[in-house]
Amino acid sequence: MDTSDARNRIFARIRNAQHRPDAARANEQAAAEDYLARHPQGPRPAMSDDLVATFIDKAQALSTTITRVPGMSGVPVAAATYLQANGLTDQAVAWPTLRELDWANAGCRVEFRKPQGDDLVGITGCFCAIAETGALMMMSGPETFASATLLPETHIAVVPASRIVAGHEDGFALMRSERGQLSRATNFIAGPSRTADIEQTLVLGAHGPYRVHLIIVDGA
């Protein structure tokens, strides 16, 4: 049984306990969408018109590093330059959605598969980015597997400037308009993994990547 089947079985048991059918009816979905459309949002902070600049400021405050390129064709060279400058391996795993880029000529050895235990660099895209917090919104799927953002020590994410939205509310609204519902795994990534549980000493890479590098594509 996969995760989706297990989730559906759990929801079915909950609905049965409430004396409702196993699956939500169309009118229930419509009622939920109507409520979301009419329900007023809570107060939100003032936001600059320059969402890209705001996002960069917030992301850098989270120990994320940034490179900007004018178009998608510049992504492989930007990734290779970052890896070389930091003394990191040029071998990486990546989402298949990035397969068409010219990684080999940039000097990156990229395999388009899920990471294994010895893979040190993961390269992904993102669903969108949140200017208010500097976080990435990631939605899993067959070609956008969450493990590439969590297992390797270094995570490089490609962020189209056009996919930077003001707040989390806008990210969820974009999800509803484009996908209709959340993916099996929806994650928000705000810089490298960190913890301060031990004597309040900040440690990076505690539960995921030690470093997160974003390549913002201005022309995408």
Side-chain angles (χ1 to χ4, degrees), residues 9 21-22 44 67 75 112 115 119 140 161 165 178-179 200 215:
R9 288 173 181 265
D22 287 356
R44 298 174 64 176
T67 298
V75 167
F112 303 93
D119 289 311
S140 67
V165 300
E178 293 186 355
R179 303 286 185 90
Q200 298 301 298
I215 302 173

Side-chain angles (χ1 to χ4, degrees), residues 93-176:
V93 295
W95 282 357
T97 55
L98 302 172
R99 186 187 299 274
E100 298 304 317
L101 298 177
D102 192 357
W103 298 100
N105 280 337
C108 290
R109 296 175 292 159
V110 179
E111 297 181 22
F112 303 93
R113 57 171 175 78
K114 294 180 179 180
Q116 301 171 353
D118 56 350
D119 289 311
L120 300 179
V121 178
I123 304 175
T124 74
C126 68
F127 177 72
C128 69
I130 313 297
E132 181 182 344
T133 60
L136 303 178
M137 183 175 182
M138 317 295 289
M139 296 185 66
S140 67
E143 295 195 328
T144 58
F145 29 83
S147 55
T149 72
L150 301 171
L151 294 181
E153 292 182 355
T154 299
H155 176 204
I156 298 175
V158 180
V159 182
S162 63
R163 303 292 293 186
I164 298 176
V165 300
H168 287 259
E169 296 91 342
D170 305 294
F172 282 110
L174 189 63
M175 174 275 299
R176 288 192 294 271

Side-chain angles (χ1 to χ4, degrees), residues 3-13 22:
T3 305
S4 297
D5 288 338
R7 180 185 63 181
N8 291 337
R9 288 173 181 265
I10 292 170
F11 286 158
R13 287 198 295 269
D22 287 356

Side-chain angles (χ1 to χ4, degrees), residues 8-29 31-32:
N8 291 337
R9 288 173 181 265
I10 292 170
F11 286 158
R13 287 198 295 269
I14 293 172
R15 293 178 65 83
N16 283 332
Q18 298 172 337
H19 306 291
R20 294 192 290 170
D22 287 356
R25 295 172 176 170
N27 66 320
E28 291 181 88
Q29 182 73 21

